[in-house]
């Protein structure tokens, strides 16, 4: 048994869209998860025109996903940080403070789209930060970092129900530690920026944590907790997230680069991190405060 889940920005999902699709696909009873925002209904199998209808609804501001009904509730969240749990790419913000913003942002975009080798691209970008005062990190955290809507509720709700939350990033521990503490993650993993005498050296500690490190985190944490891949919901937006997204029971491409979304079954273009709870069958009234 499958469940069709429709998600949109608040007040953008109409009853006509949901009931029309449920009737066309001969789905089961309709359930609203959040009025005007998210709804679902059961299906016996994937409809032959699923891809066509999904693409059509996307142009109307609605995300359509199919999930297996029996295994929807997950026990672990594995999340990317930059442009996922927060709205920025931290290295781009540091680069902007260093006066090399456009150059670094271009490299970041190409790396996240899978056009460049992640490790080489990270080394190149970090090199451009040489001699930047280490104090700028705290300034960026205080003045430039914003949290993606729905993130706090996602973590709080899953942890309330016994879940575990891990933040895994190809970015830097100076940021993941702060973000993890603010949002309630149980642990965080990332790269370490090196500094000397209060200034960045333009180098990052080895080994560099990239795509494989996120898969390693999934394997290591699930083994430690006695969980399986299917118990995990992972979320990310870049090419270096694909390993964990394809391994997890639910791998969600959130506002992802086109090349990344194309490789993921679960895609969220219009919703926020609340979508990860809707996909698991939580109604908004069930979210943790």
């Amino acid at each position: 048994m499958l469940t069709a889940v429709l998600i949109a920005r608040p007040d953008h999902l109409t009853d006509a869209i949901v009931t029309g699709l449920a009737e066309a696909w001969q789905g089961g009873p309709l359930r609203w998860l959040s009025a005007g925002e998210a709804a679902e209904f059961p299906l016996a199998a994937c409809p032959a025109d699923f891809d066509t209808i999904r693409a059509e609804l996307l142009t109307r501001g609605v995300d359509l996903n199919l999930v297996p009904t029996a295994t929807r509730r997950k026990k672990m969240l594995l999340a990317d940080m930059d442009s996922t749990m927060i709205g920025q790419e931290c290295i781009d913000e540091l680069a902007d403070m260093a006066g090399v913003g456009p150059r670094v942002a271009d490299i970041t975009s190409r790396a996240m789209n899978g056009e460049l080798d992640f490790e080489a691209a990270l080394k190149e970008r970090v090199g451009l930060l040489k001699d930047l005062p280490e104090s700028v990190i705290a300034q960026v955290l205080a003045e430039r970092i914003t949290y993606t809507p729905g993130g706090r509720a996602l973590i709080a709700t899953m942890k309330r129900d016994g879940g575990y939350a891990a933040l895994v990033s190809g970015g830097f521990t100076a940021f993941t530690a702060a973000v993890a503490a603010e949002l309630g993650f149980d642990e965080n993993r990332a790269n370490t920026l090196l500094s000397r005498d209060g200034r960045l050296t333009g180098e990052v500690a080895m080994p560099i944590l990239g795509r494989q490190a996120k898969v390693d985190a999934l394997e290591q944490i699930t083994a430690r907790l006695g969980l399986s891949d299917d118990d995990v919901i992972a979320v990310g937006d870049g090419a270096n997230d694909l390993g964990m997204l394809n391994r997890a029971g639910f791998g969600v491409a959130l506002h992802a680069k086109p090349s990344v979304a194309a490789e993921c079954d679960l895609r969220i273009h219009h919703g926020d991190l609340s979508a990860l709870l809707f996909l698991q069958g939580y109604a908004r009234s069930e979210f943790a405060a």
Side-chain angles (χ1 to χ4, degrees):
M1 183 67 71
L2 299 173
T3 299
V5 187
L6 296 90
I7 303 169
R9 292 187 299 276
D11 299 322
H12 281 69
L13 185 61
T14 67
D15 185 70
I17 289 176
V18 179
T19 57
L21 184 61
E23 291 173 0
W25 281 353
Q26 298 182 326
L30 174 65
R31 177 185 177 220
W32 280 95
L33 301 171
S34 179
E37 181 182 19
E40 65 178 37
F41 57 85
L43 288 170
C46 179
D49 60 349
F50 171 74
D51 289 334
T52 300
I53 298 300
R54 176 188 238 182
E56 177 188 337
L57 287 176
L58 184 63
T59 66
R60 299 168 68 182
V62 178
D63 294 314
L64 172 64
N65 289 281
L66 289 184
V67 297
T69 306
T71 57
R72 292 179 74 182
R73 293 287 172 98
K74 301 305 180 184
K75 300 176 182 178
M76 174 178 155
L77 169 68
L78 190 64
D80 171 48
M81 180 179 69
D82 296 285
S83 298
T84 300
M85 298 307 302
I86 62 175
Q88 296 74 32
E89 294 284 337
C90 290
I91 194 167
D92 291 358
E93 299 302 322
L94 290 175
D96 188 54
M97 301 286 277
V100 290
R103 183 175 175 185
V104 168
D106 176 66
I107 298 171
T108 299
S109 178
R110 293 168 62 197
M112 292 302 97
N113 204 39
E115 300 171 24
L116 300 174
D117 175 74
F118 179 82
E119 183 169 329
L122 185 64
K123 287 181 177 179
E124 180 179 0
R125 287 176 290 164
V126 171
L128 294 170
L129 303 179
K130 185 177 181 180
D131 292 329
L132 187 69
E134 193 175 12
S135 60
V136 169
I137 293 173
Q139 185 179 353
V140 168
L141 278 165
E143 299 176 1
R144 297 193 173 207
I145 299 305
T146 58
Y147 293 94
T148 303
R152 296 178 194 277
L154 169 64
I155 295 167
T157 302
M158 290 189 66
K159 290 182 66 174
R160 179 199 65 196
D161 291 347
Y164 189 87
L167 185 65
V168 290
S169 174
F172 309 114
T173 54
F175 291 96
T176 59
V179 171
E182 178 69 22
L183 295 179
F185 280 97
D186 294 292
E187 68 175 90
N188 68 94
R189 302 183 182 193
N191 294 296
T192 301
L193 280 171
L194 299 180
S195 62
R196 184 185 301 114
D197 299 326
R199 292 185 176 273
L200 300 183
T201 65
E203 299 172 315
V204 62
M206 301 297 287
I208 288 177
L209 279 65
R211 176 170 173 158
Q212 184 58 43
K214 298 192 177 193
V215 175
D216 293 344
L218 185 152
E219 294 177 346
Q220 293 163 6
I221 299 171
T222 53
R224 188 177 77 226
L225 299 177
L227 303 176
S228 69
D229 289 0
D230 194 49
D231 291 319
V232 179
I233 182 168
V235 60
D237 73 305
N240 66 323
D241 297 315
L242 280 171
M244 70 173 184
L245 294 178
N246 290 330
R247 280 284 298 272
F250 281 6
V252 184
L254 181 77
H255 301 170
K257 309 300 183 289
S259 61
V260 176
E263 294 192 39
C264 296
D265 291 333
L266 301 180
R267 310 166 193 166
I268 298 297
H269 296 280
H270 299 292
D272 57 30
L273 285 165
S274 301
L276 274 69
L277 290 173
F278 295 140
L279 290 173
Q280 295 181 74
Y282 286 96
R284 184 166 287 280
S285 60
E286 299 174 296
F287 289 9

